[in-house]
Amino acid sequence: MSGTTVPQPWGGAVWEGATTWPERGAARAYDLAVRMEHGMTHHAAHPPFSYALIKKHGEHNYPGGISSAMELLTLPGHCGTHVDSLGHISLNGCIYGDRPIGEHQSWTEGVEIGSVEELPPLVGPGHLVDGEELFGRELSSADGFGAPELERWFADRPAPGPGSIVLLRTGYMKHWTDPERYLGVGLGLPGLSLSGARWLSEHGVLAVGGDTASFEHKPRWTVPALDVHVHLLVKSAIPIMESVYLEGLAADRVYDGFFFVASALRIKGGTGSPIRPLAFVPA
């Protein structure tokens, strides 16, 4: 990884980058986030999201009949629709840019390098790869988005290039309210394979995302699958978004030509952050 450019924290500063902003008069905006709610599906490796209304209307009234309500949220960085920062995964003790992480982390400060504050706004042309359309059926844990599959999908469609955001739909979001089915418990999950990750990094994409909680292909439940995370986060500095809601785009067959926008919360030391991505489709 020698010679790589190490991202610098942009949080609190000004971001400048090349992108093709959508034309005026965008006709539709698609919400690509799942709803965050108490008891929602979550990956077993991360604690759950929790919500409590700690002050109800009528418990404390202001003059003139005014009252207020407020809540307490308890959430991990990797819950609901979220993005993985570069500091989420290390290889041989180093994160992207050959940066040793062991001495740059603490319980209260998080990761000093590779945090979500280093991630720029994820804005640019979007591409949706619809797995059910590609394979012609519902997907199973045997199915991966490899280089051949991506070549086939983009053979007659605009291919992603530098600055693109590529989203992969497995169709598993249909099972969001059935945690075991959605998470592939005991079976595994479809997703991006290592050859597909290399194909995307070679095309210079800015970020990738998928509709499962694991993103990458996990053909067997009992075998850890992190090679894709290593290639994208550790070797290529490409953020990964997970549990992205892609059903609306797929239903309307919006596979390209949309403008994607998302940004991480400014969490000091965060290895991940909930996001609310949007896809703007021109008229």
Side-chain angles (χ1 to χ4, degrees):
M1 289 182 286
S2 59
T4 54
T5 301
V6 178
Q8 298 298 317
W10 86 276
V14 176
W15 174 80
E16 294 183 7
T19 189
T20 303
W21 294 98
E23 296 180 1
R24 287 192 174 189
R28 287 169 290 167
Y30 289 79
D31 190 345
L32 307 184
V34 298
R35 185 172 68 181
M36 302 183 73
E37 58 186 320
H38 189 84
M40 73 178 184
T41 296
H42 68 97
H43 195 286
H46 303 286
F49 171 88
S50 181
Y51 177 100
L53 190 65
I54 60 171
K55 182 180 179 182
K56 298 180 179 179
H57 286 289
E59 292 182 344
H60 179 77
N61 296 318
Y62 297 93
I66 300 170
S67 69
S68 65
M70 61 189 68
E71 62 277 281
L72 172 67
L73 306 179
T74 304
L75 68 163
H78 303 260
C79 71
T81 305
H82 65 276
V83 62
D84 294 347
S85 77
L86 304 188
H88 178 47
I89 297 292
S90 67
L91 179 64
N92 298 321
C94 292
I95 64 168
Y96 177 77
D98 286 325
R99 294 178 289 174
I101 190 65
E103 299 302 318
H104 296 282
Q105 57 185 341
S106 69
W107 296 113
T108 57
E109 302 298 317
V111 292
E112 297 175 6
I113 53 177
S115 80
V116 291
E117 283 202 284
E118 287 184 5
L119 294 183
L122 305 179
V123 295
H127 301 262
L128 172 64
V129 181
D130 188 346
E132 291 188 348
E133 179 77 11
L134 175 63
F135 287 86
R137 54 173 170 78
E138 291 190 350
L139 274 59
S140 74
S141 59
D143 298 313
F145 295 85
E149 288 74 24
L150 294 177
E151 287 282 0
R152 187 163 78 248
W153 177 263
F154 288 109
D156 56 357
R157 296 182 175 88
S164 292
I165 291 92
V166 178
L167 307 172
L168 308 177
R169 177 181 179 261
T170 67
Y172 270 49
M173 186 54 71
K174 293 180 292 185
H175 311 303
W176 173 252
T177 57
D178 181 352
E180 288 202 359
R181 181 80 182 275
Y182 176 74
L183 298 171
V185 176
L187 297 172
L189 287 167
L192 185 68
S193 68
L194 184 56
S195 71
R198 289 171 174 158
W199 189 93
L200 290 168
S201 64
E202 288 168 1
H203 281 72
V205 301
L206 172 65
V208 295
D211 59 358
T212 69
S214 299
F215 181 67
E216 63 184 272
H217 188 200
K218 187 179 176 66
R220 292 178 297 280
W221 176 254
T222 56
V223 180
L226 283 171
D227 288 348
V228 168
H229 276 67
V230 168
H231 178 77
L232 294 173
L233 296 176
V234 182
K235 297 182 179 180
S236 308
I238 298 174
I240 298 171
M241 294 172 285
E242 293 168 324
S243 296
V244 184
Y245 185 82
L246 301 173
E247 297 304 288
L249 286 176
D252 290 344
R253 303 179 68 84
V254 179
Y255 300 139
D256 51 62
F258 61 92
F259 188 77
F260 181 92
V261 176
S263 187
L265 299 175
R266 193 180 174 195
I267 303 171
K268 180 179 180 180
T271 67
S273 167
I275 56 174
R276 190 169 188 177
L278 300 170
F280 295 92
V281 180

